[in-house]
Amino acid sequence: MIVRDAEPADMPAILAIHNSAIAESTAIWDTAPTDLDERISWWAHRRQAGFPVLVADIDGAIAGYASYGPWRPKSGYRFTVENSVYVADAYHRRGVATALMTALIERAAQGGVHVIVAGIESANHSSIALHNNFGFRVVGELPQVGAKFDRWLDLTLMQLTLPGPVDPAA
């Protein structure tokens, strides 16, 4: 497995993983699939803003992707990001999410990020466990803030504070 920066040619595979998560899970709270133009635009905006979009490549197949982006739009939050990690169904339980999270956290540390926030549907125990294994801690729960599949969804907020010389005056 190689974790690398996503390229334009990876967007159809990222789209397929993304739309599968929309259709089959509560990992993404959208209720309608998106299209390739939206994913390309998302990728371009992330890159332009200096945020990574990573893929896990296994023998030429995209097994998963990860990124982080702004936590909130106000400038005071500029050292805080929100992460996302998604794995294709055929590659679950093969270390893909762990490899992507490892690389994503390294990028965040190198990029001057102070805090990574994860917003996870509270019944997604595997994602909560993954984040916990990387040192994220639950910092809050928001009951019934989302709705999908004709039911209310609770949101668990997790946080990882990175060590390092981040200067809040910057």
Side-chain angles (χ1 to χ4, degrees):
M1 176 181 349
I2 298 168
V3 175
R4 60 173 175 76
D5 288 301
E7 301 169 354
D10 300 322
M11 291 307 109
I14 287 174
L15 175 66
I17 294 166
H18 188 82
N19 279 340
S20 176
I22 289 172
E24 300 172 16
S25 78
T26 56
I28 297 175
W29 290 14
D30 287 327
T31 56
T34 190
D35 61 25
L36 188 57
D37 288 341
E38 185 279 332
R39 283 289 87 186
I40 292 169
S41 177
W42 167 82
W43 169 79
H45 283 101
R46 289 282 166 117
R47 286 184 46 114
Q48 183 179 24
F51 297 128
V53 177
L54 306 175
V55 294
D57 182 325
I58 299 178
D59 298 326
I62 302 304
Y65 75 96
S67 184
Y68 61 73
W71 162 242
R72 308 269 315 254
K74 306 293 185 204
S75 63
Y77 295 108
R78 67 190 174 280
F79 298 110
T80 302
V81 298
E82 182 175 8
N83 78 314
S84 300
V85 178
Y86 302 102
V87 177
D89 291 340
Y91 293 95
H92 284 194
R93 305 281 182 224
R94 293 179 55 184
V96 173
T98 297
L100 286 165
M101 280 289 286
T102 298
L104 201 61
I105 291 169
E106 287 173 5
R107 290 285 185 93
Q110 294 166 357
V113 171
H114 182 59
V115 171
I116 304 173
V117 173
I120 304 167
E121 197 273 320
S122 297
N124 189 343
H125 302 295
S126 61
S127 184
I128 291 170
L130 171 74
H131 284 79
N132 191 55
N133 288 342
F134 280 93
F136 284 74
R137 296 293 169 246
V138 173
V139 293
E141 293 187 350
L142 303 173
Q144 299 184 4
V145 296
K148 188 172 179 182
F149 302 134
D150 298 325
R151 68 177 196 265
W152 293 113
L153 301 177
D154 300 341
L155 185 67
T156 296
L157 295 174
M158 299 186 77
Q159 175 179 328
L160 176 66
T161 302
L162 298 173
V166 174
D167 181 3

